[in-house]
Structures are given as structure tokens and as C-alpha cells.
Amino acid sequence: MTRDPIGLALNSMNRLAGSSWLDRLGIRRSVEWLAYSGTRTGFRTLSVAGKQFKRARNVLPRQRLPAKRPPDLFDLTLDDDQRMIVDTLAGFADDVIRPAAGDADEKGQLPESIRTQAMELGLTLYAVPAEFGGVAETRSPVTSALVAEELARGDLAIAAALLAPFSVAQSITRWGSAEQQSTYLPAFCDDEPPMATIALDEAQPLFDPAKPATTARRQGDGYVLTGEKTGVIMAASSDLFLVSARLDDGKPRLFLVPRGTEGLSYQDDPAMGLRAAQTARLRLKQVQVPSDALLGDDDFDFDAFLDYASILRCGLAVGTARAVQDYVIPYCNEREAFGEPISHRQSVAFMIANMAIETDSMRLMTWRAASRAEAGGPFSREARLARLLCNDKAMEIGTNGVQLLGGHGFVKEHPVERWYRDLRSIATQFGGAHA
Amino acid sequence: MKVLVAVKRVIDYNVKVRVKPDNTGVDLANVKMAMNPFCEIAVEEAVRLKEKGIASEIVVVSIGPKASQEQIRTALALGADRGIHVETDEEVQSLEAAKLLKGVVEKEEPKMVIMGKQSIDTDNNQTGQMLAALMGWGQGTFASEVAVDGEKVNVTREVDGGLMTVGLKLPAVVTTDLRLNEPRYASLPNIMKAKKKPLESVAPADLGVEVAPRLSTLKVEAPKQREAGVKVEDVAELVDKLKNEAKVI
């Protein structure tokens, strides 16, 4: 039974045309004419052409508009180096990091073999200029974000641990004085480079990384550092700590504190996630450091330091978000319930679609911030927006990943529960909430 | 001794290929490309020969469109010294590839050519054999071990039913099998150095070869999807199906 108005009208007209009383009354012709003109006017809007098209006599050559790529918009094409670095690290993440990740998480330990292999890849050399034995030629926040992404696709905790010395070396390259660079950077290019880490977070209510509670009191020719840091990656095995502290004038700065400095101690502080990165508390009890432990010449920029750190965290978030996505899609296509794959259910399909949209958004915002940083322009706003997006969406993607696996999401047989735990660290590590 | 390694740009082995709707070939749009895995093994073997002090220079050659330079760069990052790109946008079939490689070999005069036993796109397994024939050199195909001994190379081949070792007089062509070695990852410093290594581009005409396909592809089709199996109630039904439906007993 047709329910639309035109259908109803046609139906009644057909009945009218079929009825015998028209003939009995002798009015069939006039009624039929009425019905005919009625249908014609009813359909008229579709049948009357607004404009006539004449066949062209002179045929011009076919035209296609050329692609336009203004050079001032950021470019998403990887260059040769970046492509090869991504390819190499993708293989490393798939073949080396991923298979070791479950065990590393269980034991709460970074496998020594992975650290050795990462050294062989020369990861840290990429943070050091050629003059000090490294291979860095330009500032490369985009490549750094790509590196973080690929490693974290293997495992977030292992990636965070491997990138800790990388970030320290990068900070010294960015802001270190000639003396600091000559002291520390060549060591990072040795056959056995040091482990190094950044100590930034503190267990303070409403912690703001720009206002650390750890203090650096001027004393004689040096400084005295006092405070306690939390969530310090690889603290137990680090040879060098980059510690944030507040100067007497209230300004936040970074200090290079070598292992073995008196008053420096740590305490294991395992967390819900990042277990292979062996997070710990770092206590600074009247730690005396010389004046040249203060990182940076006159060009030091604490905000930029936080923003670079944010870009790297975002890269990590994107990588693990991609891991989740790559895992749940085949799962949902294969897992059958009610006689068909669960991906046929819209509640599942939409969740996966949102995951893909969010991962791409995170990635694009991260790349935009990184590419502005690379070009030397202001990037603080972009880095913080990217960080806030990643804080939220990384957690959401982790949660939804577990959800999509149903009961299987809850058990350790699948890696998604680990990613869920690790992804929660994006918002808490490195003063994430204060971006 | 100088070693020449031939590498090919193919669809990455992780990619699930799709046949074009008009059945003329495989869809290459927006598909990740990579070095043929057997070629990676060939590069690795050459680099190992160099590390052992046997090879003095590794020249890597690739034939294909401009983008093939990516694979040459990858080989340079893995440890090759210099690249030659034979640039053509035409479809290059095995015999043309062998002739082009012959042109390069005659110019470079290497003592050994190492290449993959086959490329994972067309799976022909011909080019190495053809090159050896065109050059009049010995060939050691499906290599699982390569041992250079002075002016000789012993190549252990994976053949049906076991291993066969052939002794070849150099110069020779060696094609690699899967178990020859496990390729390394390019280190970041080597990736950075790769772009400073020389890469020369030549046209097929410079090598005196005209690239024109001799074979035309009639149709490319995706493999038939495997159908779901059936469950049988009892042994009698199974026997019946095997007898009358499958006709195997």
C-alpha cells in the first residue's frame, strides 16, 4: 500500500477512472480531462526545463585545474629521511618491541636487549649535532613526533623509556651552554650511551609544571635543590637527571644533576601504566650543584621546553591509539555474535569510526604544532591544543578499545588492557593536565 | 671485489592487495610500497660480505619510476655505497630487466651480482637466471648460504628434498632465498648518511635497451573466496559426501 500523497492521489484517480457511475452520468470525458490536467500541473515543476542546452560547435581542449599547494601551509609529505626512519622504526616496533611488551609490563622492567638494540639503531644520535658525534642537522620536532609515534605503536611504556635519554640530549642540544654540550653530548654518542631522564612532575595539588614546588636556592657559587619529583621514568638506572626547580626569583629552570650527587635518592613508585618504564619518585634533599648545572644560556625558554615535551607525549599517544585501532578492527570483523560479525552492529562500527577520526585529529594537530616548531615560529598554542586533545582522546580510545573486545578486553590475553592503562598516562605525565 | 645488488620496488608485503575493478591489474593508488623482501636479503648479504672484508664496494641498482629511488636510498642506508637508477615509467618484464641489468653490469664490471630469487609482485623467478645466461656467467639460485673462496663462490641452494651446493667461478649471479640471512634495520645515523651517497640516474636508451613489454596481461582476478565448510551429522553422511559429492573415495 502506497502511503505518500502522490500515490494516494493516483490510487483515487484509478478508482475514479474505473467506476461505472461516470458512464451512467455521461460525464466521463470531462472528468478524465480534469484528472489529466490535474496530474500534469501536479508534476509540472519536474518537466519544465529552466534552460535549453545547445550542443557546442567549437569543442575546446579538455581542462583540469592543477593542484595548488601553497608553501606556507604545513606539508604532510614525509621527506626521504623521515620515511626511512619511520620504516625502520615500524619494523623495530613490530618485530622487537611488541613481542616483548607484555612480559616487560608484567615484570615492570625495560628489557636490556631492547635497550641495546635501540642503541644500535642510534636513536639518541639523532638528538645530537654532528660536532659532538651525532647526526642531527636541523631542529626536527616533526621527526621526533614520528619517532615517538612509531615506537609507541609497539609499546608506550618501552617507547617512553627509550625516549627519555633522547629528550634529555635534545634539551641539552637546544639550550645547553658550550660547556654543558661538550660535557654531556659526546657521551650520548658513545657505544654505551648513558641513561638519562627528565624529572618534572610533582605530587602537588593542581600541579603546574611552570611553578614547581622543588626549589633551587642560590648558595655561594651554586644552587641547593630541595623537593620531590614523581613519575620519573627509568630513575633507578639513570646516570643523568634533568630536574625542574624554582629559582629564588620564582622562575622555573632545569638543572643537570648527575647520578651519585649527594642528597639524591629514588624510590620505586610503580603505576597503573608505563610499568616497563619503571616510574619512580626522585627525592632531592639539599642537593648541592655548581652554577653550571643550570641548563641553558640566555636563550633558555621553559615554556618551549614544556611544549616540546607535549609534542612528544602527543606522538606517543597517537602511536598507541593506532595500535588499539589496528587491533580492534580485525577483531570486530572476525568476532561473531548473533550470527554475524559484531562490526555489523552500528554501536560497534560508529565507535571504531570515531576512534579513527580522533586518532587522525590527534595526529594532525600534533604534526601542525611540530611543523610550526620546526619552522621556528610560535607553536605554544598549537602544542597545548594538541596535548589537551590527546589527553582526552587517548584515554577514550583506550577505554573504547577494551570495550570493543567485550569480555576479552578485560583479560591479559589481549594487549588492549595494557594500552588502556598506558594511555591514561598521557594526561598525567609531564604536567599534562596543565597544557 | 665489487658487488652489484639489484633491488625492486614492490607493494609492501603487509598490504592486502586489491584487484582493480576492471581486472587490468592490481590497484596501486595510495598503496604503501617497499623494497622486495628477497632484495632486502640480497642487500644484507652484500653488506655482510663487505663487513667480512670480501666486498670492497656495493653498487645498488633499481629499475622503475622515479619513486624507485626511495628503495635505492633504503639500500644505501642499509650499507650500500652507491646507487644507479634506471628510470622508466614503462612496465619492465623479466627479459627487459635482465637486459638492462646486463647493460649496468657491463659498465660496472662487478665480480658478483646478488639479487632476490623473485619479486613478490609478479613472482616470475626469471630475471637472475636470464641475466646469468645473457652474461654467460654461472648462477647460484635460491641461495641459503654464500661462501666466497678466492676466485670461487660456493652457493648452497634450497632445492626440493634438501640442500645442494654449487661451486661457481666468479663473476657469477647469486639469487637469494628466504633463509639466507635476516636483514638488519637501517640505523638512524646511516639513514642520515644515505642521502650524501651518490645516486646516478640513467635512461634505458643509455644502456641500449628498448623497454617494450612482450607479454600482455589479459586479466587479473582475485583468488576465489573460500566457502564455509559443512557439518555432517554422522560418519555415514561423511562417507556418503566423500563418495558422491567430493568423489574422493
Side-chain angles (χ1 to χ4, degrees):
Chain A
M1 178 79 191
T2 334
R3 281 202 200 145
D4 59 296
I6 291 177
L8 281 174
L10 284 174
N11 188 327
S12 54
M13 272 196 287
N14 284 341
R15 285 177 186 211
L16 182 71
S19 56
S20 53
W21 55 267
L22 288 179
D23 294 317
R24 265 187 268 142
L25 292 173
I27 52 168
R28 174 171 285 280
R29 260 191 85 86
S30 45
V31 169
E32 275 181 352
W33 184 86
L34 262 171
Y36 165 73
S37 63
T39 33
R40 249 188 77 90
T41 42
F43 285 104
R44 193 169 59 191
T45 42
L46 287 176
S47 60
V48 174
K51 187 165 167 55
Q52 298 286 316
F53 293 96
K54 282 184 192 154
R55 190 167 283 279
R57 278 192 210 136
N58 299 326
V59 179
L60 299 168
R62 193 175 86 165
Q63 293 291 312
R64 292 281 185 273
L65 290 173
K68 184 187 168 195
R69 204 166 71 189
D72 52 349
L73 271 183
F74 78 110
D75 186 354
L76 295 175
T77 324
L78 304 191
D79 66 25
D80 259 2
D81 288 353
Q82 289 169 334
R83 184 187 52 74
M84 281 194 275
I85 290 172
V86 166
D87 277 356
T88 289
L89 295 181
F92 183 65
D94 287 335
D95 305 339
V96 180
I97 299 183
R98 180 73 67 85
D103 203 37
D105 179 73
E106 196 73 36
K107 290 185 180 142
Q109 215 163 28
L110 175 69
E112 195 50 41
S113 65
I114 289 198
R115 221 198 131 201
T116 319
Q117 288 184 70
M119 279 177 207
E120 282 166 11
L121 285 180
L123 200 57
T124 317
L125 272 77
Y126 197 73
V128 179
E131 289 74 9
F132 299 105
V135 291
E137 290 165 352
T138 53
R139 275 189 286 188
S140 50
V142 175
T143 313
S144 304
L146 291 170
V147 165
E149 180 180 329
E150 279 316 316
L151 293 175
R153 209 175 48 74
D155 184 64
L156 204 154
I158 293 177
L162 294 179
L163 287 174
F166 180 81
S167 302
V168 173
Q170 253 182 352
S171 300
I172 299 175
T173 301
R174 273 188 199 121
W175 297 294
S177 65
E179 271 177 9
Q180 287 163 340
Q181 295 196 332
S182 311
T183 308
Y184 296 108
L185 291 182
F188 283 104
C189 307
D190 273 358
D191 285 341
E192 291 204 1
M195 182 47 100
T197 192
I198 297 176
L200 186 79
D201 294 328
E202 291 173 356
Q204 299 290 330
L206 296 174
F207 170 66
D208 179 352
K211 295 188 182 110
T214 301
T215 54
R217 193 164 37 84
R218 186 96 210 182
Q219 191 184 66
D221 201 19
Y223 296 89
V224 178
L225 306 179
T226 311
E228 189 173 300
K229 298 286 179 181
T230 57
V232 181
I233 288 167
M234 299 305 289
S237 51
S238 280
D239 306 292
L240 182 65
F241 296 86
L242 192 59
V243 182
S244 71
R246 189 158 40 95
L247 298 184
D248 293 333
D249 62 3
K251 281 190 186 137
R253 290 294 291 255
L254 295 170
F255 289 86
L256 288 157
V257 186
R259 184 192 191 91
T261 309
E262 209 181 315
L264 192 67
S265 62
Y266 78 93
Q267 183 184 24
D268 283 332
D269 192 11
M272 167 188 184
L274 291 186
R275 291 181 45 79
Q278 292 164 264
T279 50
R281 283 169 180 262
L282 185 75
R283 182 165 296 153
L284 300 114
K285 200 174 173 186
Q286 302 283 325
V287 174
Q288 291 198 13
V289 290
S291 62
D292 62 4
L294 179 73
L295 178 73
D297 276 341
D298 45 6
D299 61 347
F300 181 74
D301 182 346
F302 195 82
D303 280 342
F305 164 75
L306 291 179
D307 295 335
Y308 278 121
S310 274
I311 291 177
L312 217 58
R313 296 286 122 187
C314 292
L316 292 172
V318 175
T320 306
R322 274 178 57 205
V324 174
Q325 204 179 304
D326 293 346
Y327 197 85
V328 297
I329 291 173
Y331 180 91
C332 293
N333 282 331
E334 281 164 22
R335 170 82 177 161
E336 289 193 3
F338 311 110
E340 57 179 351
I342 57 170
S343 58
H344 289 189
R345 308 270 146 183
Q346 285 193 337
S347 57
V348 169
F350 288 174
M351 212 184 243
I352 293 176
N354 284 340
M355 206 180 255
I357 295 167
E358 282 154 8
T359 309
D360 262 28
S361 322
M362 284 156 63
R363 200 181 202 201
L364 290 174
M365 286 187 77
T366 306
W367 285 7
R368 182 175 66 146
S371 116
R372 284 178 72 96
E374 191 156 287
F379 67 103
S380 196
R381 176 180 174 275
E382 286 72 18
R384 285 161 196 227
L385 292 181
R387 181 66 189 272
L388 286 173
L389 182 77
C390 289
N391 285 350
D392 270 7
K393 297 304 173 191
M395 275 199 272
E396 197 175 313
I397 289 170
T399 309
N400 289 345
V402 169
Q403 187 65 34
L404 284 166
L405 260 66
H408 285 150
F410 190 61
V411 293
K412 284 191 182 287
E413 187 191 336
H414 296 272
V416 188
E417 62 85 28
R418 185 176 74 242
W419 295 332
Y420 160 81
R421 290 185 282 113
D422 285 343
L423 280 170
R424 293 196 80 89
S425 74
I426 298 296
T428 55
Q429 278 260 317
F430 276 80
H434 255 273
Chain B
M1 96 182 167
K2 191 196 268 189
V3 175
L4 189 91
V5 182
V7 300
K8 187 174 181 186
R9 177 183 172 87
V10 297
I11 295 186
D12 188 279
Y13 71 94
N14 283 314
V15 171
K16 202 173 167 199
V17 292
R18 278 165 207 235
V19 172
K20 281 189 201 165
D22 62 0
N23 294 100
T24 53
V26 168
D27 197 356
L28 291 178
N30 293 322
V31 168
K32 183 171 159 44
M33 306 293 281
M35 192 192 293
N36 180 38
F38 291 109
C39 301
E40 269 184 356
I41 295 173
V43 173
E44 175 68 28
E45 195 60 22
V47 174
R48 288 187 187 186
L49 286 176
K50 196 177 173 195
E51 283 170 348
K52 282 184 207 152
I54 297 168
S56 53
E57 189 190 21
I58 303 168
V59 182
V60 57
V61 56
S62 188
I63 305 166
K66 182 131 187 107
S68 308
Q69 291 192 1
E70 285 180 9
Q71 278 60 49
I72 298 180
R73 287 278 174 221
T74 304
L76 295 175
L78 287 167
D81 297 295
R82 166 160 86 75
I84 298 173
H85 176 216
V86 182
E87 191 175 341
T88 171
D89 289 325
E90 299 290 324
E91 181 195 346
V92 180
Q93 294 176 343
S94 304
L95 186 58
E96 273 77 35
K99 285 180 179 168
L100 289 168
L101 289 176
K102 176 173 181 263
V104 176
V105 167
E106 280 169 348
K107 216 174 75 182
E108 291 291 332
E109 297 178 337
K111 268 289 174 75
M112 193 194 289
V113 177
I114 311 181
M115 50 206 289
K117 69 167 180 177
Q118 67 193 63
S119 59
I120 60 166
D121 50 1
T122 52
D123 278 332
N124 282 335
N125 182 355
Q126 292 172 331
T127 311
Q129 291 88 327
M130 285 174 171
L131 174 65
L134 290 173
M135 292 302 299
W137 289 2
Q139 54 178 285
T141 51
F142 311 102
S144 67
E145 201 187 328
V146 175
V148 179
D149 178 16
E151 284 299 297
K152 245 184 80 182
V153 58
N154 291 319
V155 178
T156 305
R157 310 176 59 226
E158 295 197 357
V159 292
D160 288 349
L163 298 173
M164 171 205 255
T165 305
V166 291
L168 308 171
K169 211 165 67 182
L170 292 174
V173 176
V174 173
T175 75
T176 61
D177 213 327
L178 201 62
R179 277 163 288 272
L180 177 59
N181 59 48
E182 204 172 306
R184 71 193 64 194
Y185 300 107
S187 75
L188 270 63
N190 284 340
I191 289 173
M192 302 295 287
K193 278 180 213 150
K195 64 169 173 257
K196 295 190 186 102
K197 292 182 177 174
L199 200 169
E200 173 195 357
S201 199
V202 295
D206 300 340
L207 301 167
V209 179
E210 198 192 331
V211 178
R214 287 155 182 265
L215 306 171
S216 59
T217 304
L218 298 180
K219 202 173 182 186
V220 176
E221 282 180 311
K224 209 175 154 207
Q225 283 237 327
R226 191 169 169 267
E227 282 172 18
V230 286
K231 272 187 186 164
V232 291
E233 286 294 324
D234 48 29
V235 177
E237 196 189 339
L238 174 69
V239 173
D240 176 64
K241 279 194 185 292
L242 288 175
K243 237 182 210 161
N244 301 320
E245 235 173 79
K247 296 195 169 96
V248 289
I249 52 173

